Amino acid sequence: MLPFDYGRANTVDGALAAMGDKTKHPPTSAPSQFIAGGTNMSDYMRLGVNRPSRLIDINPIEDRRLRAIEIGDPEIRLGALVRMSEVEDHPEVNRRCPMLTESLKLAASRQIRNMASLGGNLLQRTRCEYFREISWPCNKRNPGSGCSAIDGFNRQHAVLGVSDACIATYHGDFAQALIALDASVDIIGRDGIRRIRLADLHRPPGDRPDLETVLGPDELIAAIVVDVPAWAARSRYLKIRDRQSYAFALASTAVALDLDGNEVRDVRIGLGGVATVPWRATAAEDVLRGRPLTEESAGKAADAAFAGARPRQHNGFKVELGKQTLVRGLIELREMRL
Ligand code: SF4
């Protein structure tokens, strides 16, 4: 690990001021970065992927905007410094929307969930093996150097939202449940707070996979805001992986279902393990709305969800696995007793 400076911020203003202090990180050096749980960042610092000149620790900030879990109806607001385990232990979150709880519980070990902040969880970086090992060319780590995964071993890689420059999977689970509900994030910067849709936070790789989000260098996620409809009590997060713990999704789905008898009044679908960014399957939702939920209609929705898939040599199985995961999620949810 390379040497770095370390500072602590007690307030949001202090954190933003520290980040903007150019005397502490002149333009010739690697930038400063905020750190909260550090579970993803410390990995990448050890590996030499992430090389900040200075870390600004935001854990001492007691600001309610970043710390609170606020349960309204329909709005639930989750501060960015809240730990994953705090939300999964919240009975009202679980009652209102089980897929939020399940996506957190299935994300990592309890020890990591005790450490990791919600904001950091959303911003976690890909686990592409070629991104993690700095001797390989990688457009995300070293723009313009090439992508080792496209013609390499790409079993874990994405089939949706890919580009000719990068096919890395976004590995988060929580974001899939949030994007299914069209959540927003409050971003705090020098000019105050701005709210954007979560769907606009992560940038698809395009020809600049190194630009992962729309966050400016002096900005922090303050909170996640999500309107949870009453019918989201019928929701679940289904995660398929090589083993039942300590593994990322090969395919996953976050599904919330509003049924009128057997007919779909409304449905929300997020897909994980298969895309480069948190992925909402709106085409699949459109197939299902207003129709009976059957194996056949679920299969048609799954076909629509993966119509744009671009598999590579080793990850073609994800298309079928992703479809089957979605069908199973929908049908099991239909049978759920509330
Ligand atoms: Fe790098 Fe993306 Fe290619 Fe992985 S898939 S090697 S992260 S450019």
Side-chain angles (χ1 to χ4, degrees):
M1 188 182 283
L2 296 172
F4 59 90
D5 291 337
Y6 171 82
R8 289 163 70 84
N10 296 309
T11 63
V12 170
D13 287 346
L16 298 177
M19 184 59 80
D21 184 354
K22 304 298 179 197
T23 63
K24 296 281 174 50
H25 59 104
T28 49
S29 72
S32 298
Q33 290 185 3
F34 296 121
I35 185 168
T39 52
N40 189 221
M41 182 180 282
S42 56
D43 257 4
Y44 282 145
M45 288 177 69
R46 257 201 336 268
L47 292 167
V49 173
N50 196 16
R51 303 169 174 218
S53 59
R54 187 170 54 137
L55 289 182
I56 300 164
D57 186 345
I58 58 174
N59 286 301
I61 298 175
E62 288 299 334
D63 192 313
R64 183 168 176 78
R65 293 172 295 180
L66 279 73
R67 285 279 173 200
I69 298 176
E70 294 172 356
I71 308 289
D73 187 9
E75 184 179 291
I76 291 180
R77 190 174 186 284
L78 307 167
L81 282 178
V82 172
R83 270 34 193 180
M84 294 170 74
S85 56
E86 291 179 69
V87 179
E88 74 185 53
D89 289 345
H90 200 293
E92 195 59 12
V93 173
N94 188 40
R95 187 187 71 76
R96 295 266 301 277
C97 191
M99 72 177 174
L100 287 175
T101 305
E102 291 164 5
S103 69
L104 290 163
K105 279 188 174 166
L106 293 173
S109 68
R110 178 73 183 194
Q111 290 92 332
I112 288 176
R113 281 144 41 209
N114 285 341
M115 282 293 294
S117 67
L118 298 184
N121 182 265
L122 289 188
L123 297 177
Q124 66 182 283
R125 307 189 74 189
T126 185
R127 271 59 170 201
C128 169
E129 298 86 345
Y130 301 106
F131 175 73
R132 292 169 62 85
E133 169 46 60
I134 61 173
S135 61
W136 289 93
C138 169
N139 287 326
K140 188 182 281 296
R141 179 171 27 76
N142 185 12
S145 62
C147 172
S148 300
I150 286 177
D151 293 319
F153 185 59
N154 42 44
R155 179 176 181 271
Q156 294 281 348
H157 288 73
V159 295
L160 294 170
V162 298
S163 75
D164 292 336
C166 180
I167 57 171
T169 305
Y170 174 82
H171 281 105
D173 297 289
F174 185 44
Q176 315 303 347
L178 292 172
I179 206 157
L181 294 173
D182 198 18
S184 299
V185 286
D186 283 351
I187 295 171
I188 197 162
R190 292 171 180 282
D191 298 328
I193 289 185
R194 65 188 176 106
R195 179 169 293 184
I196 64 168
R197 295 172 65 218
L198 176 62
D200 297 326
L201 176 65
H202 298 87
R203 303 166 84 122
D207 57 3
R208 288 297 305 273
D210 55 309
L211 302 176
E212 296 178 318
T213 73
V214 300
L215 276 184
D218 297 1
E219 290 186 316
L220 275 170
I221 295 180
I224 297 157
V225 184
V226 54
D227 282 352
V228 179
W231 52 267
R234 186 185 293 277
S235 68
R236 69 170 309 196
Y237 185 70
L238 178 61
K239 181 173 180 178
I240 307 299
R241 42 192 165 168
D242 282 325
R243 54 181 190 271
Q244 277 303 316
S245 62
Y246 308 116
F248 296 106
L250 293 169
S252 70
T253 187
V255 188
L257 197 53
D258 183 14
L259 285 179
D260 179 8
N262 196 32
E263 188 171 303
V264 178
R265 244 190 318 242
D266 204 351
V267 60
R268 305 290 182 82
I269 299 169
L271 298 176
V274 293
T276 52
V277 291
W279 196 265
R280 183 165 169 200
T282 49
E285 296 173 4
D286 291 343
V287 167
L288 290 167
R289 270 192 206 96
R291 302 222 171 103
L293 178 54
T294 62
E295 296 265 358
E296 188 186 354
S297 64
K300 284 186 177 157
D303 287 344
F306 285 86
R310 283 177 64 193
R312 305 280 170 170
Q313 185 180 0
H314 306 106
N315 66 355
F317 75 98
K318 282 196 174 188
V319 175
E320 189 56 30
L321 184 66
K323 289 182 184 180
Q324 292 298 326
T325 304
L326 176 53
V327 170
R328 183 177 146 195
L330 286 163
I331 298 301
E332 289 184 3
L333 206 48
R334 182 189 67 182
E335 306 305 324
M336 181 192 248
R337 294 269 170 264
L338 293 177

